């Protein structure tokens, strides 16, 4: 394929690829907040930094349950599109992983209630229990991330299906699993830094002053996340081999690879500006947000190109065309826009009420 993603594909295929990537980006933003936020909260609790006066811990405790709800809701659309795009491969991976794959649902339910439990006065008053609750929540989310990573790699490795079925194993062993987990987990830190930065900025403008040191901590978190995620990406590139590296910088993925690389630079500049700023922090958060968008979009496209080039994707075009004939695409887009507007309204309402001074 010589055209940049998603061009060069038949119309239905290009539509499903584009909508899949865009909806997945929305899911990734919320998922990053949950995964990185729970990890940061646990880290601060271990260090004894998550007391009642810790504004970052307070924000995370208050917003993590909502962020998880948003991540799960936003994940429905890409889950539907992936079934259209990779029907056989996706379902085969699900069946081979069997009940380990289905454990995602109870894991998310348990994690969801643990996030709510850590907001209760009973848990807050007991440091060891609070630590246990947060650890349990993080374990649930890491298991979910592991399951999705395993499913992604297994679905694009058709040669592993028969041996795995014959061995009756429900664990797919692949040397890429842990490095991919490390890359995506550490890569969630800059997203968390940007989103927390906006929350603190709104609070600051609403009349609840936020210390400069708090914004500086977020800047260090974002910059550190970019550095360690970049190092993990370089290591992972060496692991996947020359064929995958060639596809990542081939005609289909190259513009998006460049966009992600430029996004890293822009995002880093935003974090540096935020670290130095004493006022007008919204400008630097806006710059970091723009860079973050291109990083997430670019890496998501490159990830998808690696899957496309690993399977016989052209053989799936008739399936995509048949799915398009069923119609409903414009109905989906209509409801997607309506729900997006309602979600934004709900978030703004919650922020406004949270910033309102107590009577």
């Amino acid at each position: 394929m010589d055209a940049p993603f998603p061009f060069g594909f038949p119309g239905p295929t290009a539509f499903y690829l584009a909508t899949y990537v865009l909806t997945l980006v929305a899911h990734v933003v919320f998922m990053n907040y949950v995964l990185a936020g729970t990890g940061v909260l646990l880290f601060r609790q271990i260090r004894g930094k998550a007391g009642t006066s810790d504004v970052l811990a307070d924000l995370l405790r208050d917003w993590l349950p909502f962020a998880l709800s948003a991540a799960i809701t936003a994940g429905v659309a890409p889950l539907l599109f992936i079934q259209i795009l990779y029907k056989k491969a996706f379902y085969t991976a699900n069946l081979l992983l069997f009940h380990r794959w289905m454990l995602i649902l109870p894991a998310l339910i348990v994690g969801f209630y643990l996030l709510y439990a850590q907001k209760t006065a009973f848990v807050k008053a007991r440091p060891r229990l609070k630590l246990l609750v947060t650890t349990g929540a993080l374990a649930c989310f890491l298991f979910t991330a592991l399951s999705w990573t395993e499913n992604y790699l297994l679905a694009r490795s058709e040669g592993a299906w028969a041996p795995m079925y014959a061995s009756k194993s429900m664990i797919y062993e692949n040397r890429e699993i842990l490095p991919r987990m490390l890359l995506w987990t550490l890569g969630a830190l800059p997203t968390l830094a940007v989103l927390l930065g906006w929350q603190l900025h709104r609070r600051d403008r609403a009349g609840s002053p936020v210390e400069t040191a708090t914004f500086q901590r977020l800047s260090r978190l974002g910059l550190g996340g970019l550095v360690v995620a970049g190092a993990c990406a370089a290591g992972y590139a060496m692991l996947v081999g020359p064929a995958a590296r060639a596809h990542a910088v081939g005609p289909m993925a190259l513009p998006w690879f460049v966009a992600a690389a430029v996004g890293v630079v822009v995002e880093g500049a935003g974090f540096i500006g935020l670290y130095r700023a004493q006022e007008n922090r919204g400008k630097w958060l806006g710059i970091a947000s723009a860079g973050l968008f291109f990083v997430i979009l670019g890496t998501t496209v490159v990830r998808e190109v690696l899957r496309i080039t690993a399977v016989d994707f052209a053989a799936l075009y008739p399936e995509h065309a048949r799915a398009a004939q069923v119609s409903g695409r414009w109905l989906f887009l209509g409801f997607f826009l309506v729900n997006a507007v309602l979600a934004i309204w709900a978030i703004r309402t919650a922020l406004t009420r949270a910033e309102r001074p107590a009577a």
Side-chain angles (χ1 to χ4, degrees), residues 48-304:
K49 299 294 186 179
T52 55
S53 61
D54 189 331
V55 64
L56 294 181
D58 290 342
L59 271 177
L60 288 170
R61 271 192 294 265
D62 287 343
W63 283 91
L64 277 172
F66 168 81
L68 179 58
S69 301
I72 294 172
T73 303
V76 172
L79 180 61
L80 295 175
F81 285 122
I82 198 174
Q83 294 176 64
I84 297 174
L85 286 165
Y86 305 100
K87 185 176 181 179
K88 176 184 175 182
F90 181 69
Y91 287 134
T92 301
N94 294 350
L95 291 171
L96 288 172
L97 294 174
F98 197 46
H99 63 258
R100 285 188 61 252
W101 173 249
M102 297 306 298
L103 281 174
I104 287 178
L105 295 176
L108 288 175
I109 292 171
V110 171
F112 186 75
Y113 281 105
L114 289 176
L115 291 181
Y116 269 109
Q118 69 179 354
K119 298 174 64 173
T120 63
F122 181 83
V123 172
K124 287 181 180 180
R126 293 163 174 79
R128 291 184 180 179
L129 179 60
K130 182 168 60 176
L131 189 65
L132 182 62
V133 167
T134 309
T135 301
L138 181 60
C140 290
F141 304 143
L142 286 174
F143 172 78
T144 303
L146 173 66
S147 299
W148 273 107
T149 301
E150 196 175 3
N151 185 289
Y152 168 87
L153 291 171
L154 179 58
R156 73 179 205 182
S157 305
E158 186 172 353
W161 296 351
M164 188 171 176
Y165 178 77
S167 67
K168 298 183 179 180
S169 171
M170 285 176 287
I171 298 177
Y172 176 51
E173 296 182 4
N174 188 307
R175 63 177 185 169
E176 294 184 35
I177 291 177
L178 292 182
R180 280 181 65 87
M181 280 276 295
L182 189 64
L183 169 60
W184 288 103
T185 301
L186 294 176
L189 293 173
T191 305
L192 176 68
V194 169
L195 295 179
L196 281 177
W198 280 116
Q199 290 179 287
L200 291 173
H201 180 62
R202 283 183 60 91
R203 177 175 292 194
D204 196 47
R205 293 184 62 184
S208 301
V210 179
E211 295 180 356
T212 299
T214 302
F215 285 103
Q216 290 177 337
R217 281 197 293 271
L218 285 181
S219 301
R220 290 196 294 268
L221 177 68
L223 285 171
L226 287 176
V227 171
V228 294
C232 289
Y236 183 65
M238 299 301 296
L239 178 67
V240 297
R245 289 196 296 270
H247 290 307
V249 294
M252 196 189 323
L254 182 59
W256 301 101
F257 182 89
V258 172
V262 172
V264 169
V265 175
V266 173
E267 191 177 358
F271 284 133
I272 292 173
L274 180 64
Y275 184 87
R276 296 176 176 177
Q278 299 296 319
E279 56 184 16
N280 198 21
R281 297 187 178 96
K283 177 183 73 174
W284 296 109
L285 283 169
I287 292 173
S289 300
L292 175 66
F293 172 76
F294 284 105
V295 170
I296 294 179
L297 180 61
T299 53
T300 301
V301 171
V302 172
R303 169 186 180 274
E304 205 54 36

Side-chain angles (χ1 to χ4, degrees), residues 4-61:
F5 180 98
F7 302 103
F9 295 102
T13 302
F15 172 83
Y16 288 125
L17 283 172
T19 48
Y20 168 67
V21 166
L22 291 176
T23 54
L24 183 59
V25 166
H27 167 69
V28 166
V29 170
F30 292 113
M31 177 269 292
N32 282 353
Y33 189 100
V34 172
L35 187 58
T38 309
V40 167
L41 183 59
L42 177 61
F43 176 76
R44 297 181 74 79
Q45 288 175 354
I46 292 173
R47 294 191 61 194
K49 299 294 186 179
T52 55
S53 61
D54 189 331
V55 64
L56 294 181
D58 290 342
L59 271 177
L60 288 170
R61 271 192 294 265

Side-chain angles (χ1 to χ4, degrees), residues 310-336:
V311 301
D312 185 7
F313 198 62
L316 301 172
Y317 293 165
E319 291 284 344
H320 305 158
R322 281 193 290 271
Q325 292 174 358
V326 176
S327 192
R329 287 182 294 170
W330 303 115
L331 185 64
F332 164 80
L333 290 175
F335 276 102
F336 177 81

